[in-house]
Amino acid sequence: MKILLDDIPFNESMYPFGKVRSMVHCRIGILTIYEKWNHYFPGKVEVASERSQYYENEKEYWMVPANIIPSAKDFQIILQKNESAKFSDFRVIEFPWHIFQYNDWAIRQDFETITAGRTSSPIPEGNRCSYQENIFIEEGAQVKWSILNAEMGPIYVGRNAEIMEGSLLRGPVSIGENATVKMGAKIYGATSIGPYCLAGGEIKNAVLFGYSNKAHDGYLGDAVIGEWCNLGAGTSNSNLKNNGSKVKVWLETKHNYEIAGNKCGLMMGDYSRSAINTSFNTGTVVGVCCNIYGNNIPEKFIKDFSWGEQRYHFEKAISDIRNWKKFKNKK
């Protein structure tokens, strides 16, 4: 039995993260949604919006709504019962801010999935660690003279990742493959630093999908950052309104604001960048491929392909993306 993740009804509601990818390639926890399913069903998972053809025998497929994320326990039940399984512990992703709101739960589920039956690489001497049974270091990772506190949740350090001297990590935290945590960084749970990302300053309850940089001082909290983004030095976001009221976030599909809860910081789409000392208001949504700069606080909704107050010409945008990818030896 093959699994078809039906993402078509949900991609638009995940703006800006469903704009240039299927929502199944969004990261929540350690893995993307697709990677979670593929871990248990390798080679048997397909995505509805990415199918190149329609198959004559649809009965070969078990169609699952792509916005449902089963727990590690549920995945084991699915392995045994396939489509007759009933989920008992799962999360439903309806809005982009659910990514950071459910990230604590998702890191714990992925940690259980990835580390089952495996042994962590030794934690190098010189680090101060608590609850080492909740810390897993992949082969090739470097951790130097840092504090890893896994009392409140697991800490996962991916293959060939580097945690530089003086870093403070308080779980649940995931550091992806080939990611770098810069000296003196303060990372609180529940935070996921995706593959090839740079992380520095203060980060709390945030998800960086991959290949993005938040490398310098400044605060990022209750936030989701897409791929190939760059936050200039001193960039910070507010995640709590001064009057303590609910945060309203622009929902592009409804062309209206939706309440996201008491806390919500920055939602930034792929290929977007901010200049140094940019201050983002509570519940700001930045579209795809934006270059944000200026003396004023940015608007709470910034449209795709914005260059300051102008438009980002497509050819220029592609050229700049090409330049940024060279920094990480990609094209």
Side-chain angles (χ1 to χ4, degrees), residues 128-277:
R128 185 70 179 269
C129 302
S130 63
Y131 290 78
Q132 292 192 22
E133 66 273 17
N134 291 337
I135 301 174
F136 196 95
I137 312 292
E138 294 283 5
E139 183 180 355
Q142 301 181 51
V143 185
K144 299 179 180 178
W145 302 102
S146 295
I147 296 177
L148 279 64
N149 180 2
E151 179 179 1
M152 302 303 295
I155 295 176
Y156 175 83
V157 183
R159 186 181 298 271
N160 299 323
E162 181 179 10
I163 300 177
M164 293 183 177
E165 300 87 332
S167 297
L168 309 174
L169 276 65
R170 191 175 195 268
V173 166
S174 167
I175 309 299
E177 178 181 353
N178 284 286
T180 300
V181 176
K182 300 189 71 176
M183 290 193 297
K186 301 183 289 289
I187 301 181
Y188 300 80
T191 292
S192 298
I193 306 299
Y196 294 88
C197 286
L198 289 177
E202 184 177 2
I203 305 175
K204 190 270 289 184
N205 195 27
V207 179
L208 281 68
F209 282 0
Y211 301 95
S212 290
N213 303 329
K214 193 276 177 196
H216 305 289
D217 286 340
Y219 176 73
L220 182 70
D222 300 287
V224 184
I225 306 297
E227 290 191 350
W228 298 103
C229 296
N230 189 75
L231 303 182
T235 294
S236 292
N237 77 248
S238 167
N239 64 336
L240 179 67
K241 297 181 70 172
N242 286 341
N243 60 9
S245 62
K246 301 289 186 181
V247 180
K248 294 181 179 179
V249 180
W250 180 259
L251 200 61
E252 179 68 356
T253 52
K254 295 184 178 181
H255 295 283
N256 204 346
Y257 286 92
E258 187 86 16
I259 293 177
N262 290 321
K263 289 187 176 183
C264 185
L266 172 65
M267 310 278 110
M268 177 177 277
D270 289 25
Y271 308 114
S272 289
R273 306 179 291 278
S274 67
I276 62 170
N277 295 324

Side-chain angles (χ1 to χ4, degrees), residues 211-213 225-233 235 266 268-276 278 280 286-294 298 302-303 305-308 312-325 327:
Y211 301 95
S212 290
N213 303 329
I225 306 297
E227 290 191 350
W228 298 103
C229 296
N230 189 75
L231 303 182
T235 294
L266 172 65
M268 177 177 277
D270 289 25
Y271 308 114
S272 289
R273 306 179 291 278
S274 67
I276 62 170
T278 301
F280 289 104
V286 176
V288 172
C289 209
C290 298
N291 189 26
I292 301 160
Y293 64 92
I302 300 174
K303 295 181 179 180
F305 293 95
S306 293
W307 179 282
Y312 203 157
H313 294 295
F314 186 77
E315 293 76 12
K316 172 65 173 170
I318 295 300
S319 176
D320 291 346
I321 288 172
R322 185 178 295 114
N323 291 337
W324 276 101
K325 290 198 170 187
F327 286 121

Side-chain angles (χ1 to χ4, degrees), residues 84-98:
S84 64
K86 293 183 179 180
F87 300 152
S88 60
D89 182 17
F90 60 93
R91 298 294 184 271
V92 179
I93 306 296
E94 297 181 276
F95 303 108
W97 49 86
H98 283 164

